[in-house]
């Protein structure tokens, strides 16, 4: 399609199926990935900087280079950026990214001809919160946020029956296949149909997607059964071990950032929220 491409992952996870375990078939990204895997004292830093900061700056340089500056020709581009700092259970590293990531996303969305897909491959699945029933359910609920170019059609109304602050809220089950077909629909102006196409572009009318069972052939039955079991009434309170734990992605979280657990006796009939379980109390 004539796109110049970039793909990078802010870290060195050699068993990853995103970048390191396969050669990126992209125009750019191979060199910076080698830098992240060269030699480091901490897995999320390169010298004095966070790898995520370097990856975001590299992505901005890539976008600016092909957006029609005085020295380069404007070309269509596609960039894939993966940030690994969310893979820890105290939100310490993720909190460091707030300002930088917010600035980057607003910078992107100010461009009229850019589609932004903010997505995770799963919900939180590290640390002590993941060991709770609420955590098991969240693992199955990844994040999806779409910002479409001003020239693109809108998300079809059938995918949502409500909105807040001018934003649609999906009320249908959306799969990664649907996200892929939406990108193809917008980037290549191609709407694919047929028995071999598992997804549906979000620009088109939504199929019946009111329950997990409506996605037979896309989501295996065993996962629907597991999800349904997690939607039943949860235990009143469940005290979990302090992070960092054996299931932490990063095991060097400072002691002062450890959480303070709520008392099970003070939560009433409500399951402790993720904020209660993960964030330190003021003054602690």
């Amino acid at each position: 399609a004539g796109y110049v491409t970039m793909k990078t992952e802010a870290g060195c996870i050699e068993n990853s199926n995103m970048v390191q375990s396969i050669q990126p078939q992209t125009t750019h990204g191979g060199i910076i990935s080698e830098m992240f895997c060269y030699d480091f004292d901490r897995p999320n830093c390169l010298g004095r900087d966070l790898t995520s900061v370097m990856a975001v700056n590299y992505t901005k340089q890539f976008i600016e280079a092909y957006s029609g500056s005085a020295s380069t020709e404007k070309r269509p581009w596609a960039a894939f950026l993966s940030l690994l700092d969310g893979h820890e259970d105290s939100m310490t590293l993720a909190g460091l990214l707030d300002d930088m990531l917010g600035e980057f996303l607003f910078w992107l969305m100010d461009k009229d001809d850019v589609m932004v897909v903010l997505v995770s491959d799963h919900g939180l699945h590290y640390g002590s919160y993941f060991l709770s029933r609420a955590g098991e359910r969240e693992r199955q609920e990844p994040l999806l946020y779409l910002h479409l170019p001003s020239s693109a059609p809108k998300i079809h109304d059938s995918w949502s029956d409500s909105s807040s602050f001018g934003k649609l809220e999906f009320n249908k089950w959306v799969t990664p296949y649907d996200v892929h077909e939406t990108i193809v629909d917008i980037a290549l102006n191609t709407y694919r149909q047929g028995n071999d196409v598992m997804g549906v572009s979000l620009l088109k009318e939504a199929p019946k997607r009111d329950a997990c069972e409506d996605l037979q052939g896309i989501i295996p039955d065993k996962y629907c059964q597991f999800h349904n079991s997690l939607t039943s009434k949860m235990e009143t309170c469940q005290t979990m071990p302090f992070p960092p734990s054996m299931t932490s992605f990063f095991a060097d979280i400072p002691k002062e950032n450890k959480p303070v657990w709520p008392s099970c006796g003070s939560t009433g009939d409500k399951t402790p929220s993720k904020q209660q379980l993960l964030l330190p109390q003021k003054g602690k």
Side-chain angles (χ1 to χ4, degrees), residues 9 11-22 37 84 87 121 125-126 249:
E9 188 172 14
C12 183
I13 309 300
E14 294 185 347
N15 65 346
S16 168
N17 62 359
M18 292 184 184
V19 175
Q20 273 77 24
S21 61
I22 56 177
C37 287
L84 293 178
H87 284 75
D121 51 345
H125 72 162
Y126 288 98
F249 192 79

Side-chain angles (χ1 to χ4, degrees), residues 88-126:
E88 54 94 6
D89 56 323
S90 75
M91 300 299 181
T92 300
L93 292 174
L96 294 176
L97 301 181
D98 281 351
D99 292 341
M100 176 204 66
L101 188 56
E103 179 185 352
F104 176 60
L105 290 174
F106 280 118
W107 177 80
L108 275 178
M109 291 186 290
D110 279 341
K111 300 179 180 297
D112 292 333
D113 56 349
V114 171
M115 176 182 183
V116 179
V117 181
L118 182 62
V119 65
S120 63
D121 51 345
H122 48 70
L124 180 68
H125 72 162
Y126 288 98

Side-chain angles (χ1 to χ4, degrees), residues 45-91:
C45 296
L46 186 60
R48 57 182 290 178
D49 296 317
L50 289 172
T51 53
S52 294
V53 172
M54 298 190 69
V56 167
N57 290 338
Y58 179 85
T59 304
K60 291 181 70 173
Q61 292 174 13
F62 164 80
I63 294 171
E64 290 173 336
Y66 292 101
S67 294
S69 64
S71 59
T72 59
E73 177 186 0
K74 185 175 182 179
R75 293 182 59 185
W77 54 266
F80 175 91
L81 170 64
S82 174
L83 303 177
L84 293 178
D85 286 347
H87 284 75
E88 54 94 6
D89 56 323
S90 75
M91 300 299 181

Side-chain angles (χ1 to χ4, degrees), residues 170-187:
F170 290 108
N171 67 348
K172 304 289 185 183
W173 285 68
V174 179
T175 71
Y177 301 107
D178 304 322
V179 177
H180 177 263
E181 293 305 322
T182 305
I183 295 173
V184 171
D185 197 353
I186 293 176

Side-chain angles (χ1 to χ4, degrees), residues 10-278:
C12 183
I13 309 300
E14 294 185 347
N15 65 346
S16 168
N17 62 359
M18 292 184 184
V19 175
Q20 273 77 24
S21 61
I22 56 177
Q23 291 296 323
Q25 301 300 309
T26 57
T27 316
H28 299 278
I31 299 299
I32 193 170
S33 295
E34 292 180 11
M35 290 177 58
F36 293 151
C37 287
Y38 177 63
D39 185 23
F40 48 80
D41 295 324
R42 286 196 46 156
N44 62 310
C45 296
L46 186 60
R48 57 182 290 178
D49 296 317
L50 289 172
T51 53
S52 294
V53 172
M54 298 190 69
V56 167
N57 290 338
Y58 179 85
T59 304
K60 291 181 70 173
Q61 292 174 13
F62 164 80
I63 294 171
E64 290 173 336
Y66 292 101
S67 294
S69 64
S71 59
T72 59
E73 177 186 0
K74 185 175 182 179
R75 293 182 59 185
W77 54 266
F80 175 91
L81 170 64
S82 174
L83 303 177
L84 293 178
D85 286 347
H87 284 75
E88 54 94 6
D89 56 323
S90 75
M91 300 299 181
T92 300
L93 292 174
L96 294 176
L97 301 181
D98 281 351
D99 292 341
M100 176 204 66
L101 188 56
E103 179 185 352
F104 176 60
L105 290 174
F106 280 118
W107 177 80
L108 275 178
M109 291 186 290
D110 279 341
K111 300 179 180 297
D112 292 333
D113 56 349
V114 171
M115 176 182 183
V116 179
V117 181
L118 182 62
V119 65
S120 63
D121 51 345
H122 48 70
L124 180 68
H125 72 162
Y126 288 98
S128 52
Y129 177 68
F130 169 60
L131 301 179
S132 68
R133 284 179 59 81
E136 288 185 274
R137 178 177 178 180
E138 181 170 324
R139 177 187 58 174
Q140 296 197 5
E141 298 176 344
L143 170 74
L144 171 63
Y145 176 83
L146 293 175
H147 171 79
L148 302 186
S150 57
S151 58
K154 304 302 181 184
I155 300 294
H156 197 281
D157 291 340
S158 57
W159 290 94
S160 174
D161 60 5
S162 63
S163 63
S164 60
F165 303 104
K167 299 179 178 63
L168 291 178
E169 296 178 355
F170 290 108
N171 67 348
K172 304 289 185 183
W173 285 68
V174 179
T175 71
Y177 301 107
D178 304 322
V179 177
H180 177 263
E181 293 305 322
T182 305
I183 295 173
V184 171
D185 197 353
I186 293 176
L188 304 182
N189 194 25
T190 301
Y191 177 47
R192 307 193 309 167
Q193 293 178 288
N195 295 332
D196 59 335
V197 179
M198 300 179 69
V200 178
S201 170
L202 299 176
L203 307 184
K204 305 300 187 290
E205 185 174 358
K208 186 178 185 298
R209 293 276 187 84
D210 298 321
C212 186
E213 289 75 16
D214 293 332
L215 290 102
Q216 290 185 1
I218 299 177
I219 297 181
D221 290 340
K222 64 179 181 180
Y223 294 117
C224 287
Q225 294 172 6
F226 180 67
H227 181 274
N228 292 338
S229 72
L230 294 175
T231 59
S232 59
K233 187 175 181 180
M234 297 182 182
E235 298 176 16
T236 300
C237 187
Q238 187 176 6
T239 301
M240 308 306 298
F242 282 96
S245 64
M246 291 299 292
T247 51
S248 293
F249 192 79
F250 293 103
D252 53 357
I253 305 302
K255 291 182 179 180
E256 60 269 21
N257 287 341
K258 285 188 176 182
V260 178
W261 294 132
S263 169
C264 277
S266 64
T267 59
D269 295 330
K270 296 182 179 180
T271 302
S273 67
K274 183 169 65 174
Q275 285 73 25
Q276 285 179 299
L277 292 176
L278 292 180

